[in-house]
Structures are given as C-alpha cells and as structure tokens.
Amino acid sequence: MTITVTPVSNTQTFGSWLAVTNRLANLMSQNTVTSDATAGGSVTTGNSFVNGHFGANTLHVGTALRGGNLTTNAVLTIATNTAFAQSSITVTDGIVTISNTTSGTSLAITVANSTLIANGSYYLNANGSWERVVTDAAGGNTQIQFNNSNSFAGSANLTFINANNRLTVGNSTVNTAVTPAGYQIANSTVSFSMVLPTSTQYANGAFFLNANGSWAEVSGGAGYYKGNAGIAGNPANIQNLFRINANTMTANVTIAAGENAQVTGPITIANGAVLTIDSGGRVAII
C-alpha cells in the first residue's frame, strides 16, 4: 500500500521533524513488509496492492488467494503450470494432473466433452476416466426390473430364471410359467400344461384343447360316414354315402317331444341302459 509522508524542510521546527520521524517509525512497524530470521517472518497489517510484479520463494496465504481487487472477486489466472509439493496439482492443456511425490502415483483428469456434460449421468472414475452412471438393480436375484414411478423396482411375483428360461408370475414360482415348448398354469395342488399345436393341427384348424392340455380333432356332428371320399368324421365330405351307427345302445337315451330320430337296425339295448321316448317324440328303426 502507498502512504504519503510529507518531507521536512529546512525552515520547519524540530517538532515537525520529530513528528515526521515518529510517523516513519510507525509505518515501518505497521504497514511495511519486512523480513527477518524467525520461522513465521515479519507480520504487517492493513491492505495493499502491488501495481506490477511481486515475487516470493514461498508464499503463505492466511485466508484466501483470489483474483480481482480489494473489494471485488475475479477469476484467478495462473499463467504457468502450478506444482504443489507432496500432493501436487498440475494443469496443462485442459488436463488436470494430481500427483503424490511421496508415493509416485498420479491422476490425470481430462475435461468432459459436450456429450458428457449434456447427459450429466457420468462420474469420474478413480483412474481419471469418465464413466456412465449405472443404477444398481432393484429387488432380489432373478426378479425382473420394471418402472415403478420412474424408479427401478423388483418383485418376487415377477421373476425369470435364466438357467431354464423360466418366467414366473404370481405369488409363487409355479403360478404361471412359460417355457419354449408351451405353457403351464398351476396353483399349489393342480397344474395344467398346454403344448403348442403342431403345424398340421394349426393348418387344419379343426382341433380343440382338451382339459388335459392335449389337442383333439373335432369330429363331424352329423355322424360317422363312409363312402367315395373314404372314412372321415368331417361332414364337409359330402361324397360319403353311408351313415354308420353302432348296433348296441349302452347308455340311457331320451328322445324328447318334438324330436325325430332314426337308426339302422337291428338294435340291441344293453342291460342297464334305458331308451325313453317322450310323448311327441318319434324313433324310426329301419
């Protein structure tokens, strides 16, 4: 800092000379930077600013080292590489290198590119590289991840076992399972397995799924025929001429009122079987 001291002229009194001398002594002790042999060096108080260059072998800062002036902060520009003793930090061409001279290890940090900055989901790895943030899987092992209010979640009711390609849905691992060969629906006591139809069954279309999970061919509802088109249960084969029926009735049969029935005889009614013809019903045996 600059402090003006008015010089003493030859015409001034001894008192004026004494006052100026005391002022100089006060400035030297309070405002002038001096040096001595003590560990802490000399201390001065007040604010100062050097208009030009200032150098020192070792610079100690009590509070902060910043750019700007006494009242306004600004960017502190370090024109050359800055090395920090023991744990040092070096900035060169946009790369910050942090080194430990004792252990001989160093960490080089590059500036993140525009893509990394825009994404934001990156972190600095211990080797100085930028890595994408990956959220830890939620739930337990084999549980499928799903969106739960914009957060990953897992549930024991939705799992996939990679060893046997088994997908399970429900309160237990057997409630609903899908395997490459077909489907299985089960509870704690009963299970139902359904295999996929073959290409022949799929192309024919005249098959239905049995309660035991098998596919059965749909028989013609008008009866069983033989003829020019061969043996078939499909009534679309109109070239078949002969309707075939059994000659023994083994189950109870009721012909209701308003129904007409015919059968080619002779017919035998087995023991225990009953043929009932209600009033208004008719049966012709030919």
Side-chain angles (χ1 to χ4, degrees):
M1 58 186 300
T2 302
I3 300 176
T4 302
V5 178
T6 304
V8 180
S9 65
N10 294 334
T11 60
Q12 288 180 297
T13 64
F14 178 78
S16 298
W17 176 83
L18 180 61
V20 172
T21 302
N22 289 335
R23 179 169 174 75
L24 289 173
N26 182 70
L27 292 175
M28 290 294 292
S29 63
Q30 299 294 325
N31 301 99
T32 303
V33 177
T34 60
S35 61
D36 55 39
T38 62
S42 299
V43 178
T44 186
T45 59
N47 299 320
S48 63
F49 189 88
V50 177
N51 186 13
H53 299 281
F54 177 81
N57 290 337
T58 302
L59 180 64
H60 294 274
V61 179
T63 303
L65 180 65
R66 63 178 177 84
N69 53 37
L70 298 179
T71 58
T72 304
N73 287 327
V75 175
L76 176 64
T77 301
I78 302 176
T80 60
N81 292 343
T82 302
F84 295 84
Q86 302 303 320
S87 294
S88 63
I89 301 178
T90 304
V91 182
T92 306
D93 296 332
I95 299 177
V96 178
T97 302
I98 303 175
S99 303
N100 188 313
T101 57
T102 302
S103 63
T105 58
S106 62
L107 173 66
I109 305 172
T110 59
V111 178
N113 59 40
S114 58
T115 301
L116 301 182
I117 294 174
N119 185 284
S121 299
Y122 287 83
Y123 66 93
L124 186 64
N125 218 335
N127 59 11
S129 64
W130 293 97
E131 299 290 342
R132 186 175 180 86
V133 176
V134 179
T135 304
D136 292 336
N141 185 36
T142 73
Q143 293 181 7
I144 298 175
Q145 302 295 283
F146 59 89
N147 189 327
N148 184 20
S149 300
N150 295 326
S151 297
F152 278 120
S155 171
N157 294 328
L158 180 63
T159 64
F160 180 78
I161 302 175
N162 187 54
N164 55 11
N165 293 327
R166 186 182 181 89
L167 172 68
T168 63
V169 181
N171 294 326
S172 67
T173 57
V174 295
N175 268 14
T176 303
V178 179
T179 64
Y183 300 87
Q184 182 185 61
I185 303 175
N187 57 32
S188 58
T189 57
V190 180
S191 64
F192 171 74
S193 297
M194 179 184 70
V195 298
L196 298 178
T198 65
S199 58
T200 301
Q201 293 169 334
Y202 183 83
N204 184 285
F207 287 83
F208 65 93
L209 186 63
N210 257 322
N212 60 8
S214 63
W215 294 94
E217 187 173 7
V218 178
S219 299
Y224 183 61
Y225 292 83
K226 291 181 180 179
N228 299 336
I231 301 173
N234 190 339
N237 294 327
I238 60 176
Q239 293 299 317
N240 291 325
L241 304 177
F242 300 97
R243 184 184 187 282
I244 308 300
N245 60 258
N247 59 13
T248 302
M249 190 185 81
T250 59
N252 294 338
V253 176
T254 299
I255 306 301
E259 292 181 342
N260 293 328
Q262 68 176 13
V263 62
T264 302
I267 294 296
T268 300
I269 300 177
N271 292 333
V274 177
L275 172 62
T276 302
I277 304 174
D278 290 343
S279 176
R282 183 184 180 191
V283 174
I285 301 175
I286 57 175

